[in-house]
Amino acid sequence: MSRQRIVVLTGAGISAESGIRTFRDGDGLWEEHRIEDVATPQAWHADPMFVWRFYQARRRQMLEVEPNPAHEALADLAERHEELTLITQNVDDLHERAGNTSTIHMHGRLKTLRCERSGQTEVRMEEGDLKDEFLTCTCCAVAQRLRPDIVWFGEMPMHMEDIYAAVEECDTFLVVGSSGHVYPAAGLVNVANAAGAKTILVNLEAPVNADAFTEVHLGKAGEILPGVLKHLSEEDMQPE
Ligand code: APR
């Protein structure tokens, strides 16, 4: 078991080969919608039922997709590296289903819903939880409406203290499938560089922040990530 401290940050690109569409490829729309119409607090206040139905469709879709070889390669890596922190911008549960059970979700999760009054979250993935009608919480005396447990544009990402602590201490920082447009996630590579870490990128095409990485591998994550991780592990096993 290696003691090298590795931090991995994944984005929508890692789930693309599982059949979940990314946000910024092609037509710039997310599942036929402008991001600001479905993924902002303003959209939720203006038309909560529209936003609710959009996320209920995403939650139902999550049950139909499977982890791909990129998720599986990261689960294998976690078995070989005690000191691995996996951070994802994704709201799906494909890392967990591949075996990375302690994944940090900085932009929230689809499988949980959040009480609008107390802020408590509940896993709500039973058949009756996936319909188009609003759901109410089990935490308040007078049940309140639940909202998607998602970090929308203009809201604070989750777990940032833990994330910065891990990146500031890491030896290797690897980003997989992210366009580098959304901060603070896109700026973590600079934190890793400042910490003297090796910074590696695996992405279909060069993202806006590609220059910040010391090593760039372009291609589909499911096809090239297993090889990149194998190489990383072999390098780590070499004597100093
Ligand atoms: N393998 C690797 N990379 C891929 C693949 C693939 N099979 N398919 C697409 N990509 C790359 C694209 O080239 C793109 O650079 O993945 C990236 C996906 O970028 P975005 O769609 O912008 O996703 P992401 O960076 O995760 O978005 C960040 O924005 O809308 C918000 O909160 C949402 O978490 C999301 C955040």
Side-chain angles (χ1 to χ4, degrees):
M1 181 72 82
S2 164
R3 303 290 304 173
Q4 194 195 166
R5 290 159 300 183
I6 302 178
V7 174
V8 182
L9 169 70
T10 64
I14 198 167
S15 295
E17 288 157 83
S18 293
I20 300 181
R21 281 171 57 185
T22 59
F23 301 93
R24 291 177 187 76
D25 292 329
D27 54 11
L29 299 180
W30 183 28
E31 300 280 356
E32 278 79 50
H33 296 285
R34 296 188 314 151
I35 289 178
E36 53 270 37
D37 291 340
V38 288
T40 59
Q42 291 81 356
W44 175 246
H45 290 306
D47 192 348
M49 183 49 86
F50 180 76
V51 173
W52 177 255
R53 288 186 172 163
F54 177 80
Y55 280 97
Q56 288 296 78
R58 307 279 74 73
R59 281 156 46 79
R60 289 192 294 267
Q61 178 196 36
M62 190 169 76
L63 297 178
E64 289 161 18
V65 297
E66 297 291 336
N68 67 55
H71 297 104
E72 281 154 15
L74 285 173
D76 289 347
L77 184 73
E79 286 188 7
R80 297 195 297 278
H81 288 267
E82 214 174 337
E83 306 269 350
L84 178 87
T85 304
L86 177 57
I87 304 160
T88 189
Q89 298 169 85
N90 298 343
V91 294
D92 65 55
D93 64 353
L94 294 176
H95 283 306
E96 284 84 352
R97 278 159 56 196
N100 289 105
T101 48
S102 48
T103 306
I104 300 173
H105 285 265
M106 64 186 294
H107 292 165
R109 295 192 294 167
L110 283 171
K111 68 188 284 188
T112 46
L113 296 171
R114 195 190 314 157
C115 172
E116 282 203 277
R117 174 167 294 176
S118 75
Q120 280 193 45
T121 60
E122 310 173 13
V123 174
R124 294 287 293 264
M125 288 300 289
E126 300 294 320
E127 204 180 321
D129 296 328
L130 297 169
K131 301 197 160 70
D132 280 344
E133 295 77 40
F134 285 127
L135 293 171
T136 51
C137 71
T138 55
C139 54
C140 298
V142 179
Q144 302 293 312
R145 190 172 65 182
L146 289 164
R147 59 161 272 181
D149 188 22
I150 301 292
V151 176
W152 286 320
F153 280 90
E155 297 184 319
M156 291 291 280
M158 299 170 176
H159 314 295
M160 287 315 294
E161 218 171 295
D162 293 342
I163 291 171
Y164 280 119
V167 177
E168 281 163 7
E169 300 269 290
C170 74
D171 303 302
T172 301
F173 180 67
L174 167 70
V175 174
V176 185
S178 182
S179 62
H181 278 291
V182 176
Y183 284 80
L188 291 175
V189 62
N190 302 322
V191 177
N193 282 327
K198 178 168 162 180
T199 52
I200 308 174
L201 172 73
V202 173
N203 209 60
L204 186 59
E205 51 203 24
V208 284
N209 61 349
D211 287 349
F213 292 85
T214 44
E215 213 179 280
V216 174
H217 302 266
L218 297 183
K220 289 188 174 179
E223 292 171 8
I224 66 171
L225 185 64
V228 171
L229 297 186
K230 188 162 175 274
H231 183 68
L232 189 67
S233 295
E234 282 165 3
E235 251 182 15
D236 192 31
M237 295 302 164
Q238 302 286 328
E240 296 276 304

